[in-house]
Amino acid sequence: MEKRVTFKGIWLPILLVLPQLVITVVFFFYPAGQAIWQSLFIPDPFGLSMQWVGLGNFEYLFSDPYYRASFVTTAVFSILVTVVSMGVALYLAVLADRLIKGSGVYRTLLIWPYAVAPAVAGVLWLFMFNTRVGVVAWYLGLLGYDWNHVLNEGEAMGLVVVASAWGRISYNFLFFLAGLQAIPKSVIEAAAIDGAHFWTRFRTIVFPLLSPTTFFLLVVNIIYAFFETFGVIHTITSGGPQQATTILVYKVFSDGFVGQDLGSSAAQSVVLLFLVSILTVVQFKFIERRVHY
Amino acid sequence: MKHSTSVIATAAVLCSTQAAFAQTEIEFWHAFTGRLGDLVAEQVETFNASQGDYTVVASHKGNYSETLNAGIAAFRAGEQPDILMVFEVGTATMMSAKGAVKPVFEVMADAGAEFDQSKYIGSVKGYYTSPDGNMLSLPFNSSTPVLWVNRNKLEEAGIDPDTDLSTWENVGATLDQLKDAGISCPMTTAWQSWIHLENFSAYHDVPFATKDNGFGGTDTELAFNGEAQVAHISAMGEWAQDGKFIYAGRRNEGGANFRGGECALFTESSAGYAGIKAEAEFDFDVRPLPYWSALVDEPQNTIIGGASLWVMEGQSDEEYKGVAAFLNFLSSPEIQAKWHQDTGYLPITTEAGEKTREMGFYDENPGTDIAVIQMTAKEPTNNSKGLRLGSFDQIRGIIDEELEAVWAGDKDAQAALDSAVDRGNTLLRRFEQASQ
């Protein structure tokens, strides 16, 4: 006999999932629906009038070469943030996993940056790299390198990537460390006895066994780079120099809240909505297949 | 939900008005923090203490953009303040919001308050008047760009600190000397679009945009890619390439370098006075903004930057009476003269300027009247009355981007300004469509 817990009637299950449903509808479906609805209009800022333009906002957006360029900027930025924050975190986690003495202190120190809000992190990095008074910029000057992220596009991108990845390293570190500690020691010891060196063990045993964690972090980090790095970009570069660090989310903000162009801003949110849906489907469909649970 | 909050709010207002002897509350949202915030609070306290009918409640709502957004969001929710501070680039947005704002001249007339618009300085109020000359908002803090000079740096480079810097030709020659003497930062600037394009255009009496810089209608087009502007941005671009002009950022980042004594020359708002006076450990001068003698024999006037106070629609007559009283209080010579002297912002009335002169302030603080003279020496033309362009905050962002391309040597001045004009025009057409 199949053992299954079933409810009699329909009302109790509905009542039980209701809180979740209400939250999803109020905080997700309703705003998303509003964004889609508004993207079909050009409203004036004060909401006094609205003009139906159909897909006009989307036409307007995609005919703008700067908007199209922003996709490339976003891709470069997200990939760099993800690779840097995950790479460094994995390296540190592997080291911390091997520590015997003082690992508690080491771990605590590594986790700290996660508590720093993105905007504050942005200001901290900006101070260090400020072209005229920054400590790092000054030392680079002594070495004969003229640091100027205010005008140099590559340097600006590098700076926002590092500032965004920095706080994220802690978060990734935590997950990688937990993942590493969940790998049975006996497997690794058996491989060691068979004569596998550290790097071989890492490549053939540790990394594949770590893949669920890596996959989870990949999804989370890309979404982070897409949406939560706004504070860093706003404080460090405001999207500049020229448009070197204007990622899609930053453009939603600047069109909506600096330009008061809510129609275009809503259309961009809808584009992002689709982009993230596609990205998530791709990740779960293709990358997850390679993940060993 | 909206109903229940408004019920609570009404209840709260009822209770507090009873406690406060039936005073009418006037809500005033502004964008000032720090010392300026304290000075605003002081003005409000003085007003509240000066009479018993109204209480002005001032709240800080973030920077200029955030304050405007807070006002817009509040209006959409039906919870707008009585008075909203809006920066000068938001003027066109506010003007086109008929039904959201109540023009100041109407507020004054409806309240039966005394309101003589001729008291206000023409080039200050001009930015905020309707085509028929009525004031739509009350100028609050207005400044205009001037040239700040670090006299010690000039001496260090073997240059007479009193050397004539009234023209860009002379400034160019001085920059050469400074560079040759090994000064690391001969010149820097704040607010590049405002100073080197918007004010530059007014000062040289060339249009920044068609239709009288947008005063003639929302079908205006940008025109700052003219010969004069291209010549200036070209020269600045060359100076940037040669390390004579150091670009520090889009806002007033360069101020730190000047105040720290690193830069010899600095183009910045006259309102930089308080900060420079407090921090500079060197002798400094305020000079009029330079002009190109190759382009004009003598300069026109410069235009203002800063913010004005807009009165929002949808309040009670009693509140509008209070607003009228408060705006008149702010315009009084004593309050204006004090504000002008404390902050370096321009006085909004002629009387306040005269009072400041009588008090001997300009003699004790040489150079503080330069901005006033520069603004008022000539009657403004259609090119120098101000700018009234929609989405202008964002257009400034575009100009910043394109100028950065010039300073970095990626584009020449003509290409950059052409591109800025094209991109800006797209935004102007969007704005025109939205405000139909």
Side-chain angles (χ1 to χ4, degrees), chain A residues 72-90:
Chain A
V72 180
T73 311
T74 310
V76 170
F77 174 76
S78 309
I79 291 169
L80 284 176
V81 168
T82 308
V83 168
V84 170
S85 64
M86 285 179 64
V88 175
L90 181 59

Side-chain angles (χ1 to χ4, degrees), chain B residues 1-71:
Chain B
M1 207 180 106
K2 205 173 125 191
H3 282 291
S4 63
T5 32
S6 62
V7 168
I8 294 169
T10 320
V13 169
L14 284 178
C15 294
S16 64
T17 39
Q18 273 167 355
F21 306 104
Q23 284 185 335
T24 307
E25 263 195 30
I26 313 292
E27 261 194 279
F28 168 30
W29 288 4
H30 66 83
F32 283 154
T33 50
R35 183 169 150 71
L36 286 173
D38 295 342
L39 288 168
V40 170
E42 194 186 315
Q43 288 183 332
V44 167
E45 271 165 40
T46 314
F47 174 75
N48 287 343
S50 73
Q51 45 74 51
D53 297 332
Y54 312 103
T55 313
V56 172
V57 181
S59 331
H60 170 245
K61 292 285 169 183
N63 63 28
Y64 283 144
S65 299
E66 287 159 0
T67 303
L68 175 57
N69 282 319

Side-chain angles (χ1 to χ4, degrees), chain B residues 98-127:
Chain B
K98 292 183 184 72
V101 296
K102 194 173 161 80
V104 161
F105 76 95
E106 268 179 46
V107 174
M108 294 299 200
D110 290 356
E114 193 191 323
F115 187 53
D116 179 6
Q117 300 194 43
S118 64
K119 279 196 321 190
Y120 296 86
I121 295 177
S123 42
V124 175
K125 76 171 176 193
Y127 212 106

Side-chain angles (χ1 to χ4, degrees), chain B residues 213-289:
Chain B
N213 288 344
F215 277 68
T218 51
D219 52 344
T220 168
E221 288 192 346
L222 299 172
F224 56 75
N225 53 347
E227 236 171 90
Q229 290 98 334
V230 170
H232 180 60
I233 298 303
S234 270
M236 295 270 295
E238 275 167 37
W239 294 337
Q241 293 299 305
D242 299 343
K244 295 175 199 159
F245 158 51
I246 303 295
Y247 175 63
R250 294 178 175 185
R251 289 179 279 264
N252 52 359
E253 289 88 344
N257 305 342
F258 181 77
R259 292 194 299 271
E262 195 195 340
C263 299
L265 306 178
F266 178 38
T267 49
E268 154 73 317
S269 155
S270 55
Y273 182 74
I276 292 171
K277 193 180 180 191
E279 284 178 42
E281 288 173 354
F282 51 82
D283 289 334
F284 65 86
D285 257 356
V286 190
R287 305 282 186 89
L289 193 69

Side-chain angles (χ1 to χ4, degrees), chain A residues 30-207:
Chain A
Y30 177 69
Q34 280 279 311
I36 293 173
W37 179 243
Q38 283 191 0
S39 70
L40 305 174
F41 293 89
I42 295 186
D44 87 295
F46 286 87
L48 299 164
S49 66
M50 268 174 131
Q51 286 170 64
W52 169 265
V53 289
L55 295 176
N57 283 325
F58 295 94
E59 260 171 56
Y60 167 72
L61 274 180
F62 285 100
S63 65
D64 177 4
Y66 289 90
Y67 184 63
R68 297 198 301 264
S70 176
F71 281 90
V72 180
T73 311
T74 310
V76 170
F77 174 76
S78 309
I79 291 169
L80 284 176
V81 168
T82 308
V83 168
V84 170
S85 64
M86 285 179 64
V88 175
L90 181 59
Y91 175 72
L92 291 172
V94 169
L95 292 187
D97 192 38
R98 286 155 63 93
L99 267 186
I100 297 161
K101 266 190 190 171
S103 63
V105 178
Y106 187 71
R107 264 180 257 163
T108 311
L109 288 178
L110 276 172
I111 291 160
W112 268 356
Y114 186 55
V116 180
V120 178
V123 172
L124 288 176
W125 284 88
L126 185 60
F127 268 125
M128 286 192 287
F129 282 88
N130 184 298
T131 47
R132 314 306 292 183
V133 297
V135 183
V136 181
W138 189 72
Y139 279 114
L140 285 172
L142 289 186
L143 295 173
Y145 186 83
D146 184 20
W147 175 269
N148 190 359
H149 70 264
V150 182
L151 280 182
N152 185 310
E153 303 189 3
E155 288 172 5
M157 178 57 96
L159 186 56
V160 289
V161 165
V162 170
S164 308
W166 175 65
R168 211 56 199 176
I169 289 171
S170 305
Y171 179 87
N172 296 344
F173 168 79
L174 213 59
F175 278 85
F176 274 132
L177 190 65
L180 285 171
Q181 289 180 342
I183 294 173
K185 288 278 174 289
S186 54
V187 183
I188 296 170
E189 278 163 12
I193 291 165
D194 287 344
H197 288 294
F198 172 76
W199 177 242
T200 321
R201 295 201 303 267
F202 180 78
R203 196 166 44 83
T204 56
I205 299 173
V206 176
F207 195 68

Side-chain angles (χ1 to χ4, degrees), chain A residues 42 44-48 51 57 60 66 132 150 238 240-243 254-255 257-262 264, chain B residues 68-69 72 76 97-98 246-247 250-251 257 262 393-394 401-402 404-405 410 423 426-427 430 433-434:
Chain A
I42 295 186
D44 87 295
F46 286 87
L48 299 164
Q51 286 170 64
N57 283 325
Y60 167 72
Y66 289 90
R132 314 306 292 183
V150 182
S238 302
Q242 300 178 48
Q243 288 221 331
S254 72
D255 285 356
F257 292 100
V258 181
Q260 318 291 353
D261 186 348
L262 297 177
S264 163
Chain B
L68 175 57
N69 282 319
I72 289 174
R76 284 170 160 250
K98 292 183 184 72
I246 303 295
Y247 175 63
R250 294 178 175 185
R251 289 179 279 264
N257 305 342
E262 195 195 340
D393 201 6
Q394 232 187 345
E401 290 172 12
E402 296 292 345
E404 281 168 356
D410 294 343
R423 294 171 63 192
T426 316
L427 291 183
R430 282 285 286 189
Q433 197 178 352

